[in-house]
Amino acid sequence: MKFFIKLVEIANNAPSSNNNEPWKFIFIRDKKTKQELSKLHKGASHLADAPIVVAVVAEPDRNPNTWMVDVPNAALYFALAAHCLGLGVGWVASYYNKTASSILGIPSNKVLVTLMSIGYPDYTPKPKTNLKPEDVILYERWS
């Protein structure tokens, strides 16, 4: 688990209001739990076979006005750090998912933001096609 501690150390460098770091990471290795989470919706099926599933949970009381930006920042830092180390990351939209929160015992005053499968990819994905910078850059104002 030292490997994952390093990923969390990197995630903890994500910007957050007043540096409050209003997040927690739950590492899930239990096969039964991963199976349950994989049934949340079609896009979550890959969780069942992942070596590790990570739940990123917000603590809104720590940053009431900014947690909804702060916590995804930390999740992205975590995912990018994993990618840089050769790991594959599958992102599952689970924002406010009550079923997943119940499975993981997340208190009602906390918010599940995302679930991520983490492991070494079985294949090399095709290069992603991105928009060109000139297609997304505006100067001075919306035009």
Side-chain angles (χ1 to χ4, degrees):
M1 289 302 272
K2 278 187 171 184
F3 198 74
F4 293 106
I5 289 172
K6 188 64 178 170
L7 296 176
V8 172
E9 285 176 349
I10 292 167
N12 284 345
N13 283 291
S16 65
S17 180
N18 295 314
N19 200 33
N20 280 337
E21 300 174 20
W23 50 72
K24 295 283 192 229
F25 294 86
I26 302 173
F27 288 86
I28 303 141
R29 294 180 290 180
D30 180 72
K31 187 155 186 68
K32 182 180 176 218
T33 303
K34 292 187 294 182
Q35 283 287 337
E36 287 181 67
L37 294 170
S38 75
K39 295 173 186 170
L40 292 172
H41 54 73
K42 182 181 173 184
S45 63
H46 59 93
L47 299 177
D49 297 320
I52 298 280
V53 172
V54 179
V56 184
V57 181
E59 298 184 287
D61 54 313
R62 295 192 54 200
N63 276 11
N65 297 316
T66 62
W67 68 267
M68 68 291 296
V69 175
D70 297 340
V71 179
N73 279 339
L76 287 171
Y77 271 52
F78 183 97
L80 286 170
H83 175 76
C84 288
L85 295 174
L87 294 166
V89 177
W91 186 285
V92 176
S94 19
Y95 198 62
Y96 278 112
N97 189 299
K98 290 182 182 183
T99 301
S101 292
S102 176
I103 291 168
L104 297 174
I106 298 170
S108 61
N109 65 333
K110 309 299 180 197
V111 178
L112 175 62
V113 173
T114 190
L115 295 164
M116 294 185 282
S117 59
I118 310 290
Y120 290 101
D122 290 339
Y123 65 95
T124 303
K126 295 176 189 173
K128 185 179 166 193
T129 304
N130 293 325
L131 293 172
K132 297 175 191 166
E134 56 270 20
D135 293 334
V136 298
I137 295 173
L138 302 172
Y139 294 98
E140 310 305 338
R141 56 184 295 147
W142 193 271
S143 57

